Amino acid sequence: GENVEQHPSTLSVQEGDSAVIKCTYSDSASNYFPWYKQELGKGPQLIIDIRSNVGEKKDQRIAVTLNKTAKHFSLHITETQPEDSAVYFCAASTGNQFYFGTGTSLTVIP
Amino acid sequence: DAGVIQSPRHEVTEMGQEVTLRCKPISGHNSLFWYRQTMMRGLELLIYFNNNVPIDDSGMPEDRFSAKMPNASFSTLKIQPSEPRDSAVYFCASSLGTGLTGELFFGEGSRLTVL
């Protein structure tokens, strides 16, 4: 089955700096890569996703890049704000199976 | 829409007791997922339904766990008998289509503590 690895497990950045979270996957059939944000006491919420026919996608301060050859994808958050503090999960889907990464706890220090 | 609704939000029970968690998916969504979240194992898919039919239950830990979806607007996850290692946050999520290549909408979770 698919194996999704996520790094780092914890990340602290100063407000205004950028944050980067990286994931790798093993199944070359994976073609959908979403990112979820989980705030304390809540369920995960989709923040951005990318499909295998696209190399990069941007939504305001958030961007995701995908390298299918290397089987890795990354989340980039620019100009971080305290409200970006949360746990972020990557995921990979083949269309038949869906796997989450282990999560990254991001702390933005004011 | 109110989103995915789960109940109870918190449950404390003693080992050996039966636990039933409930979920109301978003109206019109035809896929429903049950996840378990722990610090050690992260988010684990337990089972998912498409059009009320269980499609993949390979994540259900053992026979003590069972899930049903009697209609499009309701699902239950039952643990009988419960054990301390079942302590976790259980999430229900729903989506359009198969849900495996589109957005999952999560409820706020049911935090289970088994003493």
Side-chain angles (χ1 to χ4, degrees):
Chain A
E2 176 66 279
N3 181 36
V4 179
E5 294 191 357
Q6 184 171 346
H7 300 279
S9 57
T10 60
L11 179 60
S12 291
V13 298
Q14 291 291 136
E15 182 177 356
D17 287 351
S18 295
V20 181
I21 303 170
K22 298 181 179 181
C23 288
T24 61
Y25 61 98
S26 59
D27 192 337
S28 56
S30 290
N31 54 18
Y32 175 63
F33 307 92
W35 286 88
Y36 283 80
K37 176 183 180 183
Q38 185 177 23
E39 296 177 344
L40 200 61
K42 298 197 172 182
Q45 185 173 15
L46 181 72
I47 55 171
I48 195 167
D49 57 11
I50 193 167
R51 299 185 190 272
S52 59
N53 58 345
V54 175
E56 183 174 358
K57 185 175 178 181
K58 213 172 183 179
D59 183 3
Q60 300 182 344
R61 296 185 298 108
I62 293 172
V64 57
T65 58
L66 171 65
N67 183 328
K68 284 222 77 180
T69 304
K71 293 189 192 144
H72 65 70
F73 56 114
S74 301
L75 177 71
H76 304 253
I77 306 173
T78 58
E79 300 171 25
T80 53
Q81 301 167 2
E83 52 264 38
D84 295 329
S85 296
V87 178
Y88 292 81
F89 293 94
C90 64
S93 174
T94 63
N96 293 315
Q97 300 209 316
F98 188 103
Y99 296 90
F100 278 100
T102 49
T104 297
S105 178
L106 173 64
T107 301
V108 179
I109 304 164
Chain B
D1 200 312
V4 175
I5 299 172
Q6 291 187 245
S7 65
R9 290 295 314 279
H10 302 273
E11 173 95 5
V12 180
T13 192
E14 293 190 345
M15 183 173 65
Q17 297 298 305
E18 178 179 295
V19 173
T20 299
L21 308 179
R22 297 172 178 80
C23 175
K24 181 182 186 324
I26 293 173
S27 177
H29 284 188
N30 53 0
S31 287
L32 183 140
F33 302 76
W34 282 102
Y35 279 90
R36 178 171 67 178
Q37 186 174 39
T38 60
M39 288 294 293
M40 291 297 294
R41 300 174 69 93
L43 277 164
E44 299 175 276
L45 176 64
L46 300 177
I47 185 170
Y48 85 89
F49 296 84
N50 184 248
N51 293 325
N52 312 339
V53 175
I55 302 300
D56 183 358
D57 64 354
S58 59
M60 295 287 264
E62 48 200 271
D63 292 345
R64 298 185 297 108
F65 285 69
S66 62
K68 292 183 179 179
M69 192 164 185
N71 57 62
S73 58
F74 183 66
S75 177
T76 58
L77 178 68
K78 188 174 290 188
I79 309 172
Q80 166 64 14
S82 58
E83 297 182 3
R85 60 188 167 129
D86 301 329
S87 297
V89 181
Y90 291 81
F91 287 101
C92 175
S94 71
S95 70
L96 291 170
T98 65
L100 296 175
T101 56
E103 183 172 2
L104 298 179
F105 293 82
F106 284 83
E108 297 205 316
S110 295
R111 180 175 294 276
L112 173 65
T113 303
V114 183
L115 303 174

